């Protein structure tokens, strides 16, 4: 068997995508709608406090296209807390007006393909800890999609030896670093958790950069030969102060 790579795993991650049943939302009296929005603000304030205390992080985006209307990406230290957040959200009045669109369960993952310092466990480094437990950027645009590494005939990532995989990922990382400051990527692993092997979350200040990086990476050998992709979701940042306007009918 090829040698597996060790991973470092951080906060658990839920991508929760919902569609709004606008027809029902429009039908309820104003005061009920307002109460639902107030309750939602109160829940978001709780999540903000968790983020402030560095016990987790979250972002909310509105999704463009018919696949969903909103996407929440939530990070928590344990699977249990992640589930609690989801359940608390489901119990809100606003959730009565939502339909499930897609969800994805994973954990922030860094691999040990590139040992930096000898005799130092990279997991103990503060910069590694900061990447494993990231405060999510509140950048204007997001793209999320799940992906696999191919296992078919001659193109089997999991049969490649460690050195070859490290070399291909090194090439990949060089393409990635060209986008420093323009794209922020968070890789989450979902082996044993969800239907694909990784979740890829990209943040950008300019939406076109999302297209550029994904397209350019298609030509890297690791993506060209071994990348298999699920559905893509693209969205615009929805900060708390824009929530009420977004839900205004
Ligand atoms: O962790 C690191 O930054 C070290 C280098 C690195 C690794 C090991 C890295 C850098 N990636 C790594 C692993 Mn990546 N990445 C993707 C996608 O659309 C596609 O073609 C693929 C989706 C993007 C856009 C992206 C961006 N990367 C991985 C893995 C796990 C592979 C494994 O373990 O087998 C996946 C699935 C994956 C996918 N990557 C970077 C980026 C960017 C922008 C970087 C540079 C980060 C930086 O150094 O600033």
């Amino acid at each position: 068997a090829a040698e597996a790579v060790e991973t470092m795993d951080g906060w658990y991650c839920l991508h929760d995508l919902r569609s709004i049943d606008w027809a029902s939302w429009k039908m309820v009296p104003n005061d009920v709608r307002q109460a639902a929005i107030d309750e939602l603000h109160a829940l978001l304030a709780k999540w903000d406090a968790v983020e402030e205390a560095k016990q987790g992080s979250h972002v909310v985006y509105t999704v463009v296209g018919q696949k969903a209307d909103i996407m929440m990406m939530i990070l928590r230290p344990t699977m249990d807390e992640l589930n609690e957040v989801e359940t608390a959200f489901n119990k809100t009045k606003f959730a009565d007006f939502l339909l499930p669109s897609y969800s994805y369960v994973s954990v922030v993952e860094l691999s040990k393909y590139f040992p930096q310092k000898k005799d130092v466990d990279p997991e103990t480094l503060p910069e590694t800890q900061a990447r494993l437990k990231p405060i999510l950027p509140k950048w204007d645009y997001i793209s999320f999609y799940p992906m696999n590494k191919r296992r078919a005939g001659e193109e089997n990532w999991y049969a490649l030896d460690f050195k070859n995989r490290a070399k291909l990922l090194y090439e990949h990382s060089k393409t990635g670093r060209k986008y420093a400051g323009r794209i922020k990527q968070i890789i989450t692993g979902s082996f044993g958790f969800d239907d694909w092997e990784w979740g890829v979350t990209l943040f950008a200040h300019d939406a076109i950069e999302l297209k550029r990086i994904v397209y350019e990476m298609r030509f890297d050998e690791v993506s060209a030969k071994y990348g298999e992709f699920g559905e893509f979701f693209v969205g615009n940042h929805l900060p708390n102060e824009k929530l009420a306007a977004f839900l205004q009918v």
Side-chain angles (χ1 to χ4, degrees):
E3 190 191 341
V5 66
E6 270 185 63
T7 63
M8 299 177 276
D9 302 289
W11 278 343
Y12 289 83
C13 178
L14 175 66
H15 289 81
D16 190 332
L17 293 101
R18 314 276 179 122
S19 296
I20 300 171
D21 180 355
W22 288 110
S24 317
W25 180 245
K26 276 187 238 170
M27 244 160 3
V28 291
N30 260 323
D31 58 327
V32 175
R33 253 194 326 263
Q34 192 53 52
I37 292 173
D38 292 347
E39 183 193 26
L40 196 55
H41 274 299
L43 185 66
L44 286 165
K46 274 192 201 165
W47 293 1
D48 286 342
V50 171
E51 184 167 285
E52 201 67 33
K54 297 194 161 53
Q55 292 302 308
S57 185
H58 69 278
V59 285
V60 183
Y61 284 75
T62 57
V63 174
V64 186
Q66 294 178 358
K67 291 172 182 166
D69 290 314
I70 57 169
M71 164 158 58
M72 298 175 280
M73 178 180 181
I74 299 157
L75 301 178
R76 286 295 180 272
T78 63
M79 193 69 102
D80 308 66
E81 288 158 285
L82 200 59
N83 208 173
E84 279 165 24
V85 168
E86 179 188 15
T87 304
F89 180 80
N90 282 335
K91 288 179 183 170
T92 63
K93 184 70 191 166
F94 180 58
D96 292 351
F97 302 95
L98 300 178
L99 304 164
S101 298
Y102 195 79
S103 74
Y104 203 75
V105 179
S106 56
V107 63
V108 178
E109 177 188 294
L110 294 173
S111 58
K112 295 188 183 175
Y113 275 113
F114 314 112
Q116 295 129 329
K117 293 171 202 151
K118 253 191 117 198
D119 306 323
V120 178
D121 179 357
E123 200 156 353
T124 62
L125 301 173
E127 55 268 34
T128 307
Q129 284 301 314
R131 290 188 64 193
L132 289 172
K133 300 165 185 173
I135 299 304
L136 297 172
K138 276 62 181 171
W139 291 11
D140 286 344
Y141 306 100
I142 196 170
S143 173
F144 163 71
Y145 50 98
M147 69 174 289
N148 288 341
K149 288 282 162 66
R150 187 166 294 138
R151 277 194 319 279
E154 289 301 294
E155 265 137 35
N156 186 340
W157 176 254
Y158 298 93
L160 282 185
D161 64 35
F162 187 96
K163 263 195 172 155
N164 282 327
R165 283 180 284 136
K167 183 177 156 282
L168 293 177
L169 282 174
Y170 177 68
E171 294 301 315
H172 160 86
S173 75
K174 279 200 296 188
T175 303
R177 273 195 288 276
K178 288 201 264 177
Y179 289 83
R182 292 182 285 151
I183 293 281
K184 167 109 186 104
Q185 109 280 18
I186 295 182
I187 302 300
T188 53
S190 38
F191 295 82
F193 293 164
D194 219 319
D195 300 343
W196 296 76
E197 295 169 347
W198 288 278
V200 179
T201 308
L202 306 174
F203 296 91
H205 300 295
D206 182 345
I208 203 67
E209 301 288 3
L210 299 169
K211 173 178 179 288
R212 285 192 182 133
I213 190 171
V214 173
Y215 187 46
E216 185 174 355
M217 282 191 170
R218 285 289 195 276
F219 296 94
D220 286 335
E221 197 175 339
V222 63
S223 299
K225 277 196 183 159
Y226 303 103
E228 287 178 354
F229 300 89
E231 275 190 90
F232 283 69
F233 299 93
V234 66
N236 301 310
H237 188 222
L238 184 66
N240 294 353
E241 57 275 17
K242 285 192 183 168
L243 186 68
F246 173 67
L247 293 176
Q248 177 72 46
V249 287

